Amino acid sequence: DAGVIQSPRHEVTEMGQEVTLRCKPISGHDYLFWYRQTMMRGLELLIYFNNNVPIDDSGMPEDRFSAKMPNASFSTLKIQPSEPRDSAVYFCASSRLAGADTQYFGPGTRLTVL
Amino acid sequence: GNSVTQMEGPVTLSEEAFLTINCTYTATGYPSLFWYVQYPGEGLQLLLKATKADDKGSNKGFEATYRKETTSFHLEKGSVQVSDSAVYFCALSTGFAQGGSEKLVFGKGTKLTVNP
């Protein structure tokens, strides 16, 4: 299995621009999670999906952030407009079940907003 | 609410030294407990887990025992290697069945550096 795939691996953009991060979960996994990691705040869960349906988006910081999962093999996290404080590493993870099941993380997208 | 507290880093050790990273938790019900590891430039990966009290998780020479009486899940390794240099995260999950959530709750992470 190829594991969780994220693209792009690095993104540099200017403040005010729209940014779209992409994720392909492991086939057969019903859960997909989006996390953000910064030095100051550590690892934060932004949103997660079960069977393509958003279950909990309480971690999404502002209305500038949105996430979709149009099908079982693809999800996007969009930031519009981007701000310098959005600079972070964004991880996507997937799991077959929830709770005690293992989450498999992608390599992350390092976002820099100038 | 559920929470995880792990020892502040960074931790710096010499090769072949003994490692302990402390982790304690607060949770309703009976959580499952995890240690994830993040190597430089990579995503997190599961290192080991335990799903009930007194279980011991182990992998790659690392061990952790689920201690319900002390609400702890300390990570240990008898002899660390340079290749163990990474950030280690303790985490828990309680699951809907116990009135919890499907989410993992992570600690803040402990950075380990092992010098040759």
Side-chain angles (χ1 to χ4, degrees), chain A residues 5 7 20-25 32 34 47 49 67-77 92:
Chain A
I5 299 173
S7 65
T20 299
L21 311 182
R22 297 172 176 80
C23 174
K24 177 179 169 56
L32 184 140
W34 281 101
I47 185 172
F49 296 82
K68 294 182 179 179
M69 192 164 186
N71 57 61
S73 59
F74 184 65
S75 178
T76 59
L77 178 68
C92 175

Side-chain angles (χ1 to χ4, degrees), chain B residues 12-29:
Chain B
T12 302
L13 296 173
S14 297
E15 207 164 23
E16 299 184 1
F18 184 85
L19 169 70
T20 299
I21 301 177
N22 291 335
C23 172
T24 57
Y25 66 89
T26 302
T28 55

Side-chain angles (χ1 to χ4, degrees), chain A residues 110, chain B residues 37-43 83-87 111-112:
Chain A
R110 181 173 294 277
Chain B
V37 59
Q38 184 179 28
Y39 298 104
E42 299 183 9
S83 57
D84 294 327
S85 297
V87 181
K111 183 176 182 179
L112 169 67

Side-chain angles (χ1 to χ4, degrees), chain A residues 31 37 48 56 99-100 103, chain B residues 36 38 46 49 93 102-103:
Chain A
Y31 287 83
Q37 186 178 41
Y48 78 93
D56 185 345
Q103 289 188 19
Chain B
Y36 278 79
Q38 184 179 28
L46 180 69
K49 69 179 181 182
S93 174
E102 297 169 310
K103 300 185 289 190

Side-chain angles (χ1 to χ4, degrees), chain B residues 76-87:
Chain B
E76 296 181 337
K77 187 174 185 181
S79 176
V80 294
Q81 305 300 312
V82 172
S83 57
D84 294 327
S85 297
V87 181

Side-chain angles (χ1 to χ4, degrees), chain B residues 102-113:
Chain B
E102 297 169 310
K103 300 185 289 190
L104 280 177
V105 176
F106 284 94
K108 293 188 181 298
T110 302
K111 183 176 182 179
L112 169 67
T113 301

Side-chain angles (χ1 to χ4, degrees), chain A residues 10-11 17 51 79 84 91 93 98 109-110:
Chain A
H10 302 272
E11 176 81 31
Q17 296 298 305
N51 290 322
I79 308 172
F91 290 104
T109 296
R110 181 173 294 277

